[in-house]
Amino acid sequence: MMNEKTEIAIAAIILVAAIILIPIGIAGFMHNAQPYRIIEGEPVKDAAIAAGLSVCSVSDTLSDLPGAAGGKTYVISDNCADPTETIRVETQAFDSEESRDAAIKIYNSKTIGKLKGSGNLIVAGQYLVYINGNSELFGRISNELKKI
Amino acid sequence: MSEETAVITGGKKKYLGIFALAMINVAAVLSIRNFPSMAVYGWSCIGWYIIGTILFLIPISLAGAELATGWPEGGGVYAWVKQAFGEKKGFIALFCEWSNNLVWFPTVLSFIAATLAFALTPELANSPYYMFTVMMIAFWGTTIVAYFGENASAKLSTFGVILGSIIPAVLITFLGIWWFGTGQALVLPDFTPGAIVPDINLGTLPFFSTVILLFAGMEMAGFHALEVRNPQTDFPKAIGLSAVIIFLCTVAATLAIAFVIPADKLSLASGVMQAIQYFFDSAGLPGLVGPMAVLITIGGVVSLAAWLIGPAKGLGVVAEEGNMPPMFDRTNKYGAPVAVLLTQALIGSAISLLYVFLPSVNQAYWILSAMTVELLCIVYFLVFAALIKLRYSQPDTPRPFKIPGGMAGVWLVGGIGLVGIAFSFTVGLMPPSYYSNVLGYVASVLFGTFILAAPPLVFLKMKKPEWKNGGHSEVKE
């Protein structure tokens, strides 16, 4: 037979467990895992064009992170000649699911103080796609990337 | 948990000095992790730091000094907010500070593990088994230090923060000065006063919000009020000393990195240690990269320890007052709140396990981060509001440190803090641009925040008179 003290203890443990599982459940449900798969070509460039944007310049980049297989930095605008907004999008491919997911953890750990850094990250196949700051243009690219 | 049991070790009462107290704040706030992310902004990082200093560092330091000297009781923010708004809001403030840690622990633990991997073999960071093992060693190791009470924790903070945060920051700063002094090319454009002005627009608003809370943790020393011999005089000095150390080390080391490393090498696709490696390679000191990785790992551990111990001690006080079931009121012979520490370690381990092995949690971490922002905002909103309220409700309570300027001064300091925090709370609800369901995002963040903040309401509803002292137990070991 459980006494009242034990019941309270169990209730407290359940309560504490619930406050952890519910927020994590919300996060998990709202953002499904992206399976590792190889996407051919330049998905960000294709997505930008599909979103009606222009790629103003592109350069190769190679991150120093373990498993990084190279990527590109795109300068993308609604109009390269007379832009109302220009964004810089970085991509980096990874050679395995483990290295890609490790890179996500490294990105998450680059907090400022206790909080998230300034950038945003999305996952597309073998690529991590980064942008510094928030931008409506990146939202449009992201929507197209989901279709690839 | 009585005061005596909390501070007596081997029959001799040990107190925290001003320096040890200051180092608790420094450990909580100063982090090498911030520097590369801030250095990306070049000269304008100065402007961003000034914003964080004016809107948060100065207000929270002044508020913390006044509240800690006026009410030098155990519990830190709990004691302060309770004095102003009652037990319920005090408990909520403290619980928000504690629960946001639970979400943050995996971040700092994975940073510790990845940084240590860099000193050994960077590829280790790709192994979830390595990551989880090191994360758990760091987490439980820090919890064990906390188990041995204030004396052990203070030693860890003091030595650890010097080794792991201050020495690396000073070293980076001196190398930056050397770089500048020997006429090497700066990667930054020529300085102009206008260059320090940050670019504030819709795209940088979330960063603005982050910068306001950049110095979160300045209240951490307040949790250790019972271990200070003369809190009325020591707290203001410790808070002032920590604020100066944090500001100088942060600004100087960030600028040093910005002098040497081109912005594209500080890309979002690189880690902190990759930036540090580039820095030391450029300075012709590649041999220092490994030792720096070890030092920065230590810095991560003391930062973890500061946040792990302070709010846990606060919850111990709440339990002692009978606001939580008696199981949380267990202390050991060192005065450490063992039940809270154990609960915290178990929950933190579970979240870390999910974080490392469940990709959906890893990838969705930004939404948990958003909840962290909101929870911190609730804490600081209540602290600043308490500062103002107490000047009206308890005007005669002696405050050895008083914010100068009378009521106008308090309203100015508290008001700036409140506005900054309200702004951060609002901006924290803005979804990333690639998130299409805005209402769903806002509702989820608010709901998650509520769930993480609400348990005090449940505990207070369940509260029984016998929880106070009736269930009190001290584990004799």
Side-chain angles (χ1 to χ4, degrees):
Chain A
M1 285 288 287
M2 284 192 295
N3 60 24
E4 190 184 14
K5 204 170 173 181
T6 312
E7 284 174 3
I8 289 170
I10 291 171
I13 290 166
I14 291 170
L15 183 67
V16 172
I19 65 165
I20 297 315
L21 292 176
I22 291 173
I24 286 195
I26 290 171
F29 278 122
M30 289 186 64
H31 198 99
N32 293 328
Q34 290 288 327
Y36 185 85
R37 62 193 171 96
I38 300 299
I39 300 176
E40 301 294 342
E42 295 183 48
V44 167
K45 182 180 175 185
D46 297 343
I49 291 167
L53 304 173
S54 304
V55 176
C56 305
S57 70
V58 56
S59 57
D60 291 327
T61 56
L62 176 60
S63 165
D64 299 325
L65 295 177
K72 304 216 179 265
T73 299
Y74 301 94
V75 175
I76 296 172
S77 174
D78 51 348
N79 181 345
C80 296
D82 184 20
T84 49
E85 188 181 2
T86 301
I87 58 171
R88 189 166 170 269
V89 180
E90 296 175 42
T91 67
Q92 194 63 220
F94 288 86
D95 61 9
S96 68
E97 185 166 16
E98 289 74 25
S99 60
R100 185 199 68 176
D101 288 351
I104 298 172
K105 289 187 193 79
I106 286 173
Y107 172 82
N108 284 340
S109 72
K110 283 173 70 178
T111 52
I112 295 178
K114 282 186 84 180
L115 309 178
K116 186 172 167 288
S118 63
N120 283 305
L121 164 73
I122 56 175
V123 185
Q126 79 273 36
Y127 287 102
L128 297 187
V129 182
Y130 307 87
I131 181 178
N132 203 6
N134 214 5
S135 160
E136 184 264 333
L137 299 189
F138 191 58
R140 286 162 61 182
I141 294 169
S142 164
N143 286 337
E144 292 301 325
L145 267 179
K146 287 174 191 163
K147 300 173 188 168
I148 294 176
Chain B
M1 183 173 61
S2 71
E3 184 175 350
E4 292 301 301
T5 56
V7 295
I8 291 176
T9 306
K12 189 180 174 188
K13 207 166 188 174
K14 296 193 176 181
Y15 293 102
L16 295 178
I18 294 170
F19 187 71
L21 207 52
M23 289 305 105
I24 290 169
N25 278 355
V26 176
V29 181
L30 180 64
S31 173
I32 308 295
R33 235 177 26 255
N34 303 345
F35 303 163
S37 300
M38 293 297 294
V40 172
Y41 292 89
W43 291 115
S44 70
C45 76
I46 298 173
W48 285 116
Y49 279 135
I50 290 172
I51 287 173
T53 303
I54 292 173
L55 291 182
F56 191 79
L57 180 62
I58 293 173
I60 193 66
S61 299
L62 292 172
E66 175 162 327
L67 293 167
T69 57
W71 294 270
E73 305 159 16
V77 298
Y78 167 68
W80 308 336
V81 176
K82 185 181 80 169
Q83 288 290 338
F85 301 111
E87 210 163 55
K88 186 192 287 182
K89 291 191 177 64
F91 193 1
I92 288 172
L94 177 69
F95 202 86
C96 287
E97 181 135 44
W98 183 73
S99 62
N100 94 77
N101 274 337
L102 298 174
V103 174
W104 172 75
F105 283 146
T107 313
V108 69
L109 287 168
S110 66
F111 172 78
I112 290 166
T115 307
L116 186 63
F118 199 89
L120 305 169
T121 307
E123 285 71 23
L124 276 174
N126 288 353
S127 163
Y129 299 101
Y130 160 83
M131 291 293 287
F132 187 67
T133 304
V134 175
M135 286 164 74
M136 288 303 95
I137 291 170
F139 196 35
W140 284 90
T142 311
T143 300
I144 288 169
V145 172
Y147 174 91
F148 287 104
E150 194 60 47
N151 196 26
S153 305
K155 278 181 184 157
L156 174 72
S157 283
T158 305
F159 292 111
V161 77
I162 291 170
L163 267 181
S165 298
I166 295 177
I167 288 178
V170 169
L171 190 56
I172 289 169
T173 303
F174 276 124
L175 284 174
I177 293 168
W178 168 81
W179 185 272
F180 184 73
T182 53
Q184 309 221 39
L186 299 188
V187 299
L188 290 179
D190 290 341
F191 177 79
T192 60
I196 68 169
V197 178
D199 182 18
I200 297 173
N201 54 47
L202 206 58
T204 56
L205 269 189
F207 184 62
F208 196 151
S209 156
T210 297
V211 164
I212 290 175
L213 289 168
L214 171 66
F215 298 109
M218 286 300 294
E219 74 288 359
M220 206 52 61
F223 288 111
H224 303 262
L226 294 179
E227 289 81 38
V228 182
R229 187 190 298 272
N230 300 308
Q232 283 85 354
T233 54
D234 290 357
F235 263 115
K237 289 175 187 166
I239 289 174
L241 178 64
S242 58
V244 169
I245 291 173
I246 290 163
F247 183 79
L248 291 180
C249 285
T250 300
V251 174
T254 304
L255 275 180
I257 289 174
F259 282 172
V260 178
I261 308 180
D264 63 333
K265 293 288 178 190
L266 293 167
S267 102
L268 294 162
S270 290
V272 172
M273 279 315 300
Q274 281 72 21
I276 296 293
Q277 179 169 36
Y278 188 94
F279 183 87
F280 281 91
D281 286 351
S282 302
L285 298 166
L288 282 183
V289 176
M292 276 295 284
V294 174
L295 293 180
I296 294 171
T297 302
I298 294 169
V301 171
V302 293
S303 171
L304 168 72
W307 285 96
L308 182 149
I309 295 166
K313 284 174 73 75
L315 271 191
V317 171
V318 172
E320 180 196 344
E321 293 187 2
N323 292 324
M324 291 175 79
M327 62 170 285
F328 292 106
D329 188 22
R330 283 175 179 271
T331 57
N332 62 10
K333 63 182 177 182
Y334 303 103
V338 279
V340 174
L341 287 172
L342 185 64
T343 307
Q344 177 175 269
L346 289 172
I347 297 172
S349 301
I351 298 178
S352 298
L353 185 74
L354 295 172
Y355 180 72
V356 172
F357 290 102
L358 275 187
S360 58
V361 173
N362 190 351
Q363 292 170 20
Y365 208 74
W366 49 264
I367 199 166
L368 293 171
S369 299
M371 293 173 198
T372 305
V373 175
E374 305 305 276
L375 289 164
L376 272 179
C377 287
I378 292 170
V379 177
Y380 292 118
F381 195 90
L382 287 169
V383 168
F384 286 120
L387 172 77
I388 296 170
K389 171 85 186 299
L390 286 168
R391 279 289 186 103
Y392 290 98
S393 61
Q394 299 190 36
D396 300 326
T397 299
R399 296 163 171 82
F401 176 83
K402 263 183 132 168
I403 292 171
M407 291 308 293
V410 166
W411 271 102
L412 183 66
V413 169
I416 288 173
L418 285 172
V419 168
I421 292 302
F423 173 79
S424 284
F425 187 89
T426 309
V427 172
L429 292 173
M430 278 175 60
S433 55
Y434 53 84
Y435 201 85
S436 48
N437 183 357
V438 175
L439 278 180
Y441 177 89
V442 173
S444 301
V445 172
L446 286 177
F447 180 65
T449 303
F450 173 76
I451 292 292
L452 287 164
L457 303 177
V458 180
F459 283 128
L460 290 174
K461 191 89 179 162
M462 292 165 61
K463 185 175 175 180
K464 291 181 167 42
E466 61 268 25
W467 284 6
K468 187 168 187 176
N469 299 323
H472 180 82
S473 59
E474 185 181 336
V475 179
K476 297 291 178 195
E477 295 159 75

